[in-house]
């Protein structure tokens, strides 16, 4: 396997098991990642070992060009977030393919990780390419059929996925837009609300300033910062962005995982 030194505090398990990505499998002390390419990774505490992809791919996918140590220091604003960070030190934000991330998080609405993974695996078996390690994720040019998606367990989401734009330029052009405009463009697509759009922007476009607000995050923020007083989703979203600033999305990911694991 090839290897590359990780320049910041890093934990492979926390990163891959934090809800950012769905098509992963634990293998020995590492993971197999199923995407447009399929590859294995293992981290020994200093070096990230990988196969089947080149260095540039790994650099971008694991955001190795980002100074996460500096970012983490800037969001340690109170005891709540400090406790979350200390419990899951080394969690970083991946940089995933925009189209795959869009399909994946459309599937995430009213769903759980196990079922999302099953849906994505099934659709990859039908529309992806078979390799010696498994099936790749379908390309942006694929024409999804509602009947097939229904058999893959997509339910009401089949219409959203089959109507999803197949124009790669659409997703590439979002890189050039400011976050507010990019979010509007995404929300103009069927099946994408505010939370899903923010997840796509965070996990594919490095828009770390978004604050992905679902029922988990709403409850967490109400508990920790509003003395359990109920707030609107919009209020929680705006609070997160104002309080944590340009790295709100990274703080949100730590708080999400810490709450889900019962740390805070």
């Amino acid at each position: 396997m090839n290897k590359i030194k990780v320049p910041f505090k890093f934990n492979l398990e926390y990163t891959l098991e934090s809800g950012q990505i769905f098509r992963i499998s634990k293998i020995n002390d590492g993971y197999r990642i199923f995407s447009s390419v399929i590859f294995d990774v293992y981290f020994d505490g200093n070096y990230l070992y990988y196969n089947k992809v080149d260095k540039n791919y790994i650099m971008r996918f694991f955001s190795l060009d980002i100074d996460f140590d500096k970012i983490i220091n800037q969001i340690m604003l109170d005891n709540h977030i400090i406790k979350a960070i200390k419990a899951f030190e080394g969690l970083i934000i991946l940089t995933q393919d925009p189209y795959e991330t869009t399909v994946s998080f459309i599937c995430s609405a009213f769903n759980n990780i196990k079922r999302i993974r099953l849906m994505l695996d099934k659709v990859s078996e039908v529309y992806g390419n078979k390799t010696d390690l498994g099936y790749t994720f379908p390309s942006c040019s694929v024409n999804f059929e509602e009947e097939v998606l229904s058999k893959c367990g997509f339910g009401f989401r089949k219409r959203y996925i089959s109507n999803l734009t197949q124009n790669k330029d659409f997703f590439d052009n979002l890189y050039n837009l400011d976050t507010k405009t990019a979010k509007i463009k995404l929300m103009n697509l069927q099946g994408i609300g505010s939370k899903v759009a923010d997840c796509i922007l965070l996990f594919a476009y490095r828009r770390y300033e978004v604050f992905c607000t679902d029922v988990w995050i709403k409850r967490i923020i109400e508990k920790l910062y509003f003395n359990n007083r109920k707030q609107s989703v919009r209020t929680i979203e705006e609070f997160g962005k104002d309080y944590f600033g340009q790295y709100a999305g990274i703080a949100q990911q730590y708080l999400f995982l810490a709450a889900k694991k019962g740390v805070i």
Side-chain angles (χ1 to χ4, degrees), residues 93 202 208-212 245-254:
I93 303 298
L202 178 62
Y208 299 141
E209 69 270 28
V210 303
F211 196 74
C212 309
Q246 62 181 321
Y247 301 121
I250 298 174
Q252 165 260 310
Q253 197 66 11
Y254 272 94

Side-chain angles (χ1 to χ4, degrees), residues 168-186:
K168 186 175 182 296
D169 289 342
F170 170 85
F171 295 98
D172 289 344
N173 288 337
L174 295 184
Y175 287 111
N176 303 317
L177 303 178
D178 63 84
T179 299
K180 182 178 180 181
T181 305
K183 183 172 181 176
I184 291 170
K185 292 279 190 182
L186 284 168

Side-chain angles (χ1 to χ4, degrees), residues 218-231 236:
K218 184 175 181 294
R219 289 172 184 163
I220 297 160
I221 299 301
E222 286 171 346
K223 172 187 173 184
L224 300 180
Y225 298 99
F226 288 91
N227 197 27
N228 280 320
R229 297 192 306 273
K230 297 296 182 184
Q231 305 294 323
I236 298 298

Side-chain angles (χ1 to χ4, degrees), residues 14-108:
Y14 296 158
T15 296
L16 295 179
E17 302 277 5
S18 61
Q20 303 182 56
I21 186 171
F22 304 107
R23 295 187 69 216
I24 57 171
S25 290
K26 194 85 171 66
I27 51 168
N28 300 319
D29 293 326
Y31 286 85
R32 179 162 295 165
I33 297 173
F34 301 82
S35 184
S36 56
V37 290
I38 303 173
F39 59 100
D40 298 332
V41 287
Y42 162 75
F43 184 60
D44 70 357
N46 290 299
Y47 289 91
L48 188 65
Y49 293 81
Y50 62 94
N51 62 6
K52 303 290 185 179
V53 290
D54 61 29
K55 179 181 177 181
N56 289 337
Y57 185 96
I58 289 293
M59 283 285 294
R60 179 162 180 79
F61 187 85
F62 285 100
S63 307
L64 299 182
D65 54 330
I66 303 294
D67 189 346
F68 274 98
D69 286 343
K70 182 179 179 181
I71 290 173
I72 297 306
N73 285 334
Q74 292 189 40
I75 61 173
M76 296 179 76
L77 301 177
D78 58 58
N79 288 333
H80 303 309
I81 186 66
I82 289 172
K83 189 175 182 180
I85 288 170
K86 286 184 175 179
F88 298 100
E89 186 177 60
L91 163 64
I92 61 98
I93 303 298
L94 301 169
T95 306
Q96 300 178 67
D97 174 77
Y99 177 70
E100 182 176 352
T101 306
T102 300
V103 174
S104 298
F105 279 91
I106 288 177
C107 293
S108 73

Side-chain angles (χ1 to χ4, degrees), residues 146-184:
E146 284 195 32
E147 184 179 345
V148 176
L149 292 175
S150 183
K151 291 179 180 177
C152 292
F154 278 68
F156 68 88
R157 305 168 192 85
K158 64 185 179 183
R159 178 165 55 90
Y160 305 147
I161 302 300
S162 64
N163 291 336
L164 191 62
T165 177
Q166 296 156 347
N167 185 351
K168 186 175 182 296
D169 289 342
F170 170 85
F171 295 98
D172 289 344
N173 288 337
L174 295 184
Y175 287 111
N176 303 317
L177 303 178
D178 63 84
T179 299
K180 182 178 180 181
T181 305
K183 183 172 181 176
I184 291 170

